[in-house]
């Protein structure tokens, strides 16, 4: 008998590419990240990235980390007043 992963069982490697509806993807496309942030256009989202409101894509990818977006927005809104530096800030301070 074949294993569940080779039979295309949902949620397993080799199976369906869709996550169960109760699991939000962590890595978002640009359009998904824009929608997640409530931006009406991806261009508006790009403006947020340029202004530093939200971080850019994960280094080496074209995907945004949903949790990094949440953290950036939490910091901007004052929900994380004691938060340490973002990864981009830390890398800038510790480069070289």
């Amino acid at each position: 008998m074949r294993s569940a992963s080779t039979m295309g069982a949902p949620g397993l490697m080799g199976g369906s590419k869709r996550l169960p509806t109760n699991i939000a993807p962590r890595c978002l496309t640009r359009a998904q990240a824009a929608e997640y942030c409530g931006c009406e256009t991806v261009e508006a989202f790009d403006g947020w990235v340029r202004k530093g409101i939200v971080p850019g894509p994960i280094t080496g990818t074209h995907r945004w980390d949903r949790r990094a977006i949440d953290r950036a927005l939490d910091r901007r809104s004052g929900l994380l007043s004691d938060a340490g530096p973002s990864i981009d800030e830390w890398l800038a301070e510790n480069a070289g």
Side-chain angles (χ1 to χ4, degrees), residues 42-54:
V42 291
E43 291 78 14
F45 177 73
D46 291 343
W48 282 25
V49 173
R50 280 191 304 276
K51 293 175 185 175
I53 296 169
V54 294

Side-chain angles (χ1 to χ4, degrees), residues 64-79:
W64 275 258
D65 184 327
R66 180 177 44 83
R67 289 175 52 190
I69 291 170
D70 287 343
R71 181 179 169 92
L73 294 175
D74 286 350
R75 290 178 76 196
R76 291 286 289 213
S77 66
L79 294 175

Side-chain angles (χ1 to χ4, degrees), residues 20-53:
T21 56
N22 62 334
I23 299 177
R26 172 131 183 213
C27 295
L28 306 173
T29 65
R30 181 171 160 244
Q32 289 171 326
E35 184 176 358
Y36 181 73
C37 289
C39 294
E40 293 190 18
T41 65
V42 291
E43 291 78 14
F45 177 73
D46 291 343
W48 282 25
V49 173
R50 280 191 304 276
K51 293 175 185 175
I53 296 169

Side-chain angles (χ1 to χ4, degrees), residues 6 13 22 27 34 40 50 62 68 75 82 93-94:
T6 61
M13 292 186 65
N22 62 334
C27 295
E40 293 190 18
R50 280 191 304 276
H62 297 285
R75 290 178 76 196
D82 64 337
E93 292 171 6
N94 295 286

